[in-house]
């Protein structure tokens, strides 16, 4: 059930209505919006049905059809913009997140961060807890890695993002970084989704290797349901029969997610392709398909990287990527404006 | 590194050798075997290399090539047999695990367990914590469901198996049931794998929807590495383009797992096909491909089931399944004997 | 539209009815059946609707819902049995077709055929026209290969099967062999399907690498529509993300095809797995899932084979395969009888 | 083997060298190039090895490693540009091909062509021979369709493209249209590839639903080997587990094909996505990934279309598509120039 609020509804109206709905077990969630917000009832109480339209500030009550009660455009037509430091994700300009696959040392992380900064990337990524296929490979530096990442980010003025892999680590990780990342393998680790949501930090949710778009958006619902509305979707390639690329980057999922949801969508062409020569063209294509940004792996010395070195970009490549992503972003913004004007 | 033990090595030899190896940071794991066991060094210390062959009870030291240091047949050629109550999994006779997708009530669980018992199934399955795609669908009864499952199992003399979905739940779940199940979505939830391993209980590890066979066996390594050697592999279908079946049950993965690993392998044709008319033929085929058993969903009243009712078997179907699985198992055992004799 | 014939309808009734239906543009196809046959109207003429039930020999007319108008069990409930020489495909006993991937020489083909004969295989396979991914690899001996295959088959009393890859080759190929094979790449080469159908020979139709079960059965319709009712379906593995096997052999497709259609179904575990150690277990599993036979590749000297040598079986392996396939087939027949009796 | 020609080599040198190579059974293929062309030997005769470097006009002989002897950049580093009427495919400006899925009538085709013309599309597509999954659905108008397409194209001054589905139809189809299309189902119909190559017409080769990029390029070799160098590659989506889109459009295949081959690459977002709202963003993304153009389906009255009406664009959508594809193409050209200048 969806309660549409009057443009003139007051904060007090809304507060009053929300507390009445909660008291009557409707599980209301308030979604502020341009002009008029909405209230989604996650579990509408049938006994209250006749009152919904009469509550203070409420203009009308309509059934909610979308399975994505909170992520769908049905309950929130306007794009969500997430602010991280001075960066906006989901706004008009594309964001580039860059950094090493894994934090290996202070030196390596600082060099990578300087590359990111110099090239114009806006957010620093780096893995401290690494989910690895084999228990016998490098598993990340853990808390020491978090400290390095946070310190280097602070030093260079770059907000940071890192992956969290178990619910109990969430509070600690949330103290160190600006954005929590849920990896592809954990897209349906529902306890982790809830814990990440409850941290109050922005959460970037990677699509699972074999997750449908519907499953991806329903995983986002697990985070949104905690009251945390700062969810960023990240397409990173799906598993197919094609051996020439590490995964198959599914940009139609980006275009479709943009149509179905108000959440920002970014793309990881590093994991998505696994081939350095494809990362720049696919980053441009991602923006052209509607993505709000890209996340890429870089390394000051790819040959010595402890994981995924073969797909890490060098400084010159990163500069080209940032330049071309920005140029493509500018064109997309102007095409969007022209489409609007033609209507 | 693999240390082969003398057939005559004594328990004291082994104890002494293990403690020396541990003291010198070799991460030794002892794998007893028919006649002569072996010691796997997960992290062989290069400084000790020359001593390995000279340690008490050790016959020779050879390099270990398999990525599955503990799961592979290279370090343990003989089939592992896991004992659950009076049931053996991995031995000569196929095992049938049956029960409802979710524990919904005491009544429903008891009726399903009676069906299982009457048909000759040996282990009772039932979900208490359900990982669901949408946060808005039935999530299981939780601890209350565990209590029901354990009580009904005890009443009917059936060992029980249930899914555990987060590391912190493991100790509680392990108190109630005989076998822990790791679901397909959590195959690479490494913290959960470790926690399940540490419970000391047998663990059934389902293959992920898009997991390669290599990734599946490496996930098993995460459990085995805790010292828990009671791991059962479960093939339950992979994601493909085919819409006519819920998943594509990959029985060649069963045949290949049997060749690569000493761990028992079972098959879940209910989730694997999602179509009741395919469950019995695919259960037979699973046994013919080398599986040690099958797990199926049953329900006393499929139409009212809270999840997956459409693929639940009724009593007559379950009886046929058990009968045909056993007949196929008997044939496989006799063919295996004939093959042995011909060599 | 489906016209059900009286058990007492005479040949003359049927002839008269068919000619009336054809004259009125209904595209009738007569499907004889145990007791009472049926007539399928591929393009029922609405103007004739009221007459359908009144035609000589017709008992009643019912709408036909299945998209597989001729392949589906709706229009022909009884299993189709195809006779090739003294061999029956689709009857109670499993059939083993064996032979080299490609006919390379008279000597190699004769040796392979002797292996097939000695092991108890009933049909000789061998490729003369080879559809190869690259134009720069061995493309088969063409007509010379057909001559060798036919001669060797005659010599050893083995019926033969070979692939046909273009419509214009069909008449020539049909003169040399007993069964025409349509390969996976050509499953939707509709002109080839029609040409093969028109040859009047039995046609084995392999499932395409990415064909759904529905598409496979609709491809069979293209053959059946020519009036040729001798179609054998062959599952040979589909493309998935799994790299450990050449393809993923989809045995649930076999079980489902058995439910949906009256046509015989065989399985090719050689191409389906690409690994010799999996061929025997998957052949057993195929029969247990309901297949009427298997097709496997053998070679007198696998190391020198011009294509697919790595998956060719040797004599001892083929003997084991035939023995275990027959034993599994016998068990399946007896289980089927028991299921019947219980009803 | 690859023979590099002197920039100063004369036409006579080349003629002489080619005839010597052919006479000695080397299967030479001459690939003219900017400055200096090359000669590829498809079957280098080992006995001639020492002479290769000494032949008239030859500068040096090097081994050829690429499996794509003719399609690969190794033997032809410069982009191939194909001229169709006044249109260039593979040059600096993106090409839009548009038209109905099937030619249904003169009226419908003329209306669609007028839409294409008005919107600025440059090539008219339309199916006369339709390969359909079921034999019971509309199979195209055949020769009558070809006549309509050719006439409407002539009338409006639009070059035409249509699918050819069997080798024997090639000569007739080639008389009517400017470009032959090989559909996804026929990508490995090798007789058809050769026949299309021999027509001398430009051939657009769609990637198969489950074809790897390697298989796609090797299929192009079958056409190129006939001496026809006018091959256009077309990505149209692959089969994956994702049900929300008709296929998964694999734009990384476009970026990779651009790196591996000199042939032009276009994209079909209509079949690739099957959803009208995704066609425009994916067309932009295709160009941003490096495609030389797009092919889309339009219909004057989508609701009455005999096939694929649900994915047909209307006039306003097509105008937006052409405008945005061109704008993206212009940006890509300027980014490419800037990258060149920076080197």
């Amino acid at each position: 059930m969806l309660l549409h609020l009057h443009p003139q509804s007051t904060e007090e109206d809304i507060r009053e209505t929300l507390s009445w709905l909660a008291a009557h077990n409707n599980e209301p969630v308030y979604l502020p919006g341009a002009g008029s917000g909405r209230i989604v009832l996650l579990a509408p109480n049938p006994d209250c049905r006749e009152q919904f339209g009469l509550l203070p500030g409420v203009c009308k009550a309509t059934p909610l059809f979308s399975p994505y009660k909170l992520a769908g455009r049905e309950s929130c037509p306007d794009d969500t913009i997430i602010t991280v430091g001075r960066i906006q994700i989901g706004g008009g300009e594309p964001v580039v997140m860059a950094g090493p696959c894994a934090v290996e040392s202070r030196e390596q992380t600082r060099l990578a961060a300087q590359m990111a900064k110099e090239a114009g990337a806006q957010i620093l990524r780096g893995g401290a807890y690494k989910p690895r296929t084999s228990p016998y490979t490098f598993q990340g530096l853990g808390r020491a890695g978090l400290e390095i990442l946070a310190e280097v980010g602070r030093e260079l003025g770059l907000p940071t993002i890192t992956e969290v892999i178990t619910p109990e680590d969430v509070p600690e990780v949330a103290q160190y970084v600006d954005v929590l990342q849920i990896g592809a393998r954990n897209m349906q680790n529902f306890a982790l989704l809830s814990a990440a949501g409850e941290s109050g930090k922005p959460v970037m949710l990677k699509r699972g290797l074999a997750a449908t778009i519907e499953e991806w958006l329903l995983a986002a619902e697990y985070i949104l349901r905690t009251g945390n509305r700062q969810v960023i979707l990240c397409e990173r390639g799906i598993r197919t029969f094609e051996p020439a690329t590490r995964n198959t980057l599914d940009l139609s999922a980006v275009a479709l997610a943009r149509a179905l949801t108000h959440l920002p969508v970014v793309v990881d062409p590093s994991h998505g392709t696994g081939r350095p020569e494809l990362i720049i063209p696919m980053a441009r294509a991602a923006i052209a398909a509607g993505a709000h940004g890209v996340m890429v792996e870089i390394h000051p010395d790819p040959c010595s990287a402890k994981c995924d070195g073969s797909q890490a970009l060098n400084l010159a490549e990163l500069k080209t990527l940032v330049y071309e992503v920005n140029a493509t972003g500018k064109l997309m913004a102007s095409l969007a404006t022209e489409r609007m004007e033609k209507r």
Side-chain angles (χ1 to χ4, degrees), chain A residues 183-188 206-216 235-240 247-248 250:
Chain A
R185 288 179 181 87
N186 281 312
M187 192 199 84
Q188 292 190 317
K206 286 196 159 186
R207 181 181 178 195
L209 285 145
T212 63
I213 295 165
E214 179 169 345
E215 290 167 342
W216 188 26
E235 158 65 26
R236 46 78 71 211
I238 56 173
R239 282 248 162 113
T240 71
N247 293 287
T248 295
D250 181 8

Side-chain angles (χ1 to χ4, degrees), chain A residues 12 19 57 90 239 304 341:
Chain A
E12 212 190 305
S19 73
R239 282 248 162 113
S304 75
E341 286 166 2

Side-chain angles (χ1 to χ4, degrees), chain A residues 54-168:
Chain A
L54 311 170
L55 293 168
V58 172
C59 153
K60 63 175 173 171
T62 59
L64 179 58
F65 295 104
S66 171
Y68 325 119
K69 294 180 197 283
L70 299 171
R73 287 206 181 266
E74 192 180 352
S75 48
C76 182
D78 301 324
D79 286 359
T80 289
I81 296 175
I82 293 170
T83 301
V84 179
R86 277 169 300 180
I87 310 303
Q88 286 198 325
I89 305 175
E93 286 168 31
V95 171
V96 177
M97 314 187 199
C101 179
V103 171
E104 297 167 17
S105 71
R106 179 157 287 130
E107 185 60 11
Q108 166 255 14
T109 306
R110 188 178 289 124
L111 287 171
Q114 284 165 345
M115 285 169 64
K117 181 90 179 183
E118 185 181 340
Q122 296 110 319
I123 295 180
L124 179 63
R125 65 152 284 160
Y129 295 97
K130 300 297 303 173
R132 300 304 299 278
T133 300
S134 165
Y136 309 120
T137 52
F138 178 61
Q139 309 271 318
L141 297 181
R143 184 205 281 244
L146 292 178
E147 280 169 9
I148 292 172
L149 184 70
E151 187 190 304
V152 170
R154 221 178 307 118
E155 216 176 282
L156 293 181
L158 290 171
T160 52
I161 177 170
T162 203
E163 182 167 355
V164 59
I165 59 180
T166 140
E168 62 186 18

Side-chain angles (χ1 to χ4, degrees), chain A residues 273-309:
Chain A
T273 68
R275 294 178 77 127
E277 75 270 33
L278 303 186
I279 294 173
I280 295 174
M282 293 311 285
R284 289 191 312 251
I287 302 300
H292 294 102
V294 296
M295 168 181 263
V296 292
E297 290 185 357
I298 58 175
H299 200 282
D301 178 14
C303 298
S304 75
K306 291 199 177 173
C307 66
D308 287 349

